[in-house]
Structure formats: structure tokens, C-alpha cells
Amino acid sequence: MSRIIAPYITAWSAEQDLPCALVERPDHSIGYANELLSDRDRHGVLWRQTALRHRIGRPEFARVHPLRQRRAMELLLCQVCGGPADRNDDGVLWLQRDHRGDWPQWPNGMASVEPPVCVPCVPVARRMCPALQRGAVTVRVRDCPVAGVRGVFYQRSVLAPAATKAGNFTYDDPAVRRVLASALIRELRGCVIVPLDEPSGTMTPSLSR
């Protein structure tokens, strides 16, 4: 593996948002004034358009590139190297901040915008991400259906659609028609927490706790 300077999904300084004007559409959804078929996903949701200039400039670790995040989530690619995420009998490997105190059986039912990982990239991710340094767990996920998007909701306004609130929106929510998406969400189900030092091992199926 080549030396990783920044995770695959990280945006670089040359990758700024493109100047796309939002307009109202006859069906009361939002769209771009000069829209292309590629501007929407297969569910018809509009996506934020960002220049694709990977590894040009400097990595901006606080920003995630919408297209690479979406690709990694759709294809279950490692968020760090961009190769296939690790998978075994217990499921696909995810690396998450440790929030086991949030609810019983966490992270079952969690909506995640963080793509999975491969085994070699677990220590890389922990080293690069300050949040993970404060506590992380590796999780095997048996089922991870695409559930919706994270983005900004735009309400009707006099001149053009106006941004109001950011949040998570399921694909069956009517409001998603007025959302400018920036990240794809998968719901994590059938989760098994595995030791950080043994993320490639297979465990007896059980709910996380």
C-alpha cells in the first residue's frame, strides 16, 4: 500500500464547491439551473457538486468529499485507502467512535455517514482522526442498507430556494425532495463489536453491548 497522506474520503484544498445555482422545479423539488443527470442519485435526490481534484493542494481533514464518500458507501469501500472494505462471516468492518453508553445494544440501528474500513487501515484511521483517539471500537456489521442522506433542507423563498436546516433525511421522507445532499447514510444492523487488536477475527454472532 502506498503511503497514505489523508483518507480517501477527505476533501483537498483544490476541491471546492462548484457554482451551481439552485432553482424551484415544477414538482416543488429543488434543482440546478443547468442540471445534469449525474447531479442526482438513483433515488432522485440532488447532490452538492464539488470539484474532483483528488490529492491536489492540501488535505482539509475537517471536510469530506461528497462524491468519494457516496462512492465508498455505495460500494462498501475503505474510507481510508479506497480499496474494498474488510468482510468476513460476521459482516463488514466498521471503525466507530465509542458511544456504547448512548443506548443498549449500540450501534445497532445507528445511521452512519462514515464508510467502512479494511483491516490494515484501522491503525491508520485511529492515528489520523483526533476523534477516534478519544475512544474507538471496531464493529462487524451483518446488514447495512442504504437509508438516506445527510444534507441541507431548502425552503421556498422569493428569489431562490433558501437553506434552513441541516440533518439526516430518509429516502421515504417527502422533505428529501428539497434537500441538497452531501453524504450517503447506511443503517448499521446485526452489529458485533470485535477487539481493536483483532479486527480480522470471526466472533460468535451476538448483539453488541
Side-chain angles (χ1 to χ4, degrees), residues 1-208:
M1 180 186 299
S2 61
R3 180 172 176 268
I4 295 174
I5 300 173
Y8 170 73
I9 63 172
T10 297
W12 289 64
S13 57
E15 298 182 309
Q16 299 302 314
D17 288 348
L18 300 177
C20 300
L22 284 174
V23 297
E24 293 285 345
R25 302 209 319 171
D27 62 358
H28 305 297
S29 65
I30 58 171
Y32 288 132
N34 298 300
E35 191 173 308
L36 303 174
L37 288 175
S38 57
D39 292 334
R40 295 181 182 271
D41 62 24
R42 60 188 179 90
H43 296 275
V45 174
L46 192 68
W47 277 73
R48 195 174 86 225
Q49 296 305 302
T50 304
L52 189 58
R53 295 171 182 169
H54 195 202
R55 297 183 181 276
I56 297 179
R58 65 184 184 282
E60 297 186 347
F61 294 97
R63 291 197 305 124
V64 171
H65 193 280
L67 179 61
R68 288 197 295 277
Q69 187 275 352
R70 178 177 154 193
R71 181 174 184 269
M73 286 296 251
E74 286 179 338
L75 302 178
L76 293 177
L77 304 179
C78 174
Q79 63 170 288
V80 180
C81 69
D86 193 79
R87 186 192 301 261
N88 66 14
D89 291 343
D90 282 329
V92 180
L93 183 66
W94 249 269
L95 179 64
Q96 297 285 346
R97 288 184 61 184
D98 191 347
H99 288 296
R100 279 176 279 191
D102 283 5
W103 67 81
Q105 300 179 348
W106 178 93
N108 281 289
M110 183 175 76
S112 179
V113 295
E114 299 289 339
V117 293
C118 66
V119 172
C121 284
V122 168
V124 179
R126 294 183 68 198
R127 184 173 66 251
M128 287 184 166
C129 179
L132 292 176
Q133 293 171 11
R134 296 193 291 269
V137 292
T138 41
V139 182
R140 289 287 177 181
V141 180
R142 287 187 178 277
D143 188 25
C144 51
V146 171
V149 296
R150 176 173 293 177
V152 177
F153 178 83
Y154 281 76
Q155 67 179 11
R156 295 182 69 89
S157 187
V158 176
L159 298 179
T164 55
K165 62 178 180 179
N168 295 345
F169 301 85
T170 60
Y171 277 122
D172 59 3
D173 183 350
V176 80
R177 292 155 53 86
R178 301 191 63 85
V179 169
L180 185 60
S182 57
L184 192 66
I185 295 172
R186 281 186 181 268
E187 182 182 349
L188 307 188
R189 302 174 180 172
C191 301
V192 179
I193 293 177
V194 297
L196 274 169
D197 56 350
E198 300 175 13
S200 61
T202 299
M203 298 185 66
T204 301
S206 63
L207 292 179
S208 62

